[in-house]
Amino acid sequence: MDRPVLGRGVRLVYDRTRQTRVVLHPEGVLVPNGTAVAVLELCDGTVTVPQIAAALGDRYAGVRETEVGAVLERLSEKGVVRWT
């Protein structure tokens, strides 16, 4: 139960009006920052938080596993992410 995946009915899409990626979920629309989008793109239910942090660390400097976990916990509380 440590592998995040998008929740049921949740989609990460590009919104042309806002010209950014948004999260569509049953409760509405979220406009995540770039960091959250990068994390969500890796939430496929097969990778762990440490693996997500490592993948992001290859692209960005200063990525911390604890911060990735915190982002995922906040998204989990909103029902955007669930754990498998």
Side-chain angles (χ1 to χ4, degrees):
M1 189 149 160
D2 62 344
R3 298 171 192 271
V5 64
L6 296 182
R8 296 189 199 302
V10 175
R11 294 185 304 144
L12 181 63
V13 298
Y14 184 79
D15 183 321
R16 284 188 231 148
T17 303
R18 293 180 178 99
Q19 296 187 348
T20 190
R21 303 285 298 265
V22 299
V23 175
L24 302 178
H25 63 108
E27 289 77 32
V29 178
L30 292 176
V31 182
N33 64 25
T35 302
V37 168
V39 170
L40 287 169
E41 288 174 336
L42 297 172
C43 292
D44 62 3
T46 66
V47 294
T48 63
V49 173
Q51 291 169 324
I52 291 172
L56 293 174
D58 291 342
R59 296 192 303 188
Y60 307 104
V63 174
R64 294 185 180 147
E65 184 179 327
T66 56
E67 292 173 356
V68 171
V71 167
L72 287 167
E73 278 303 314
R74 285 192 301 274
L75 292 169
S76 176
E77 290 169 2
K78 295 179 182 192
V80 172
V81 170
R82 63 184 174 90
W83 301 90
T84 61

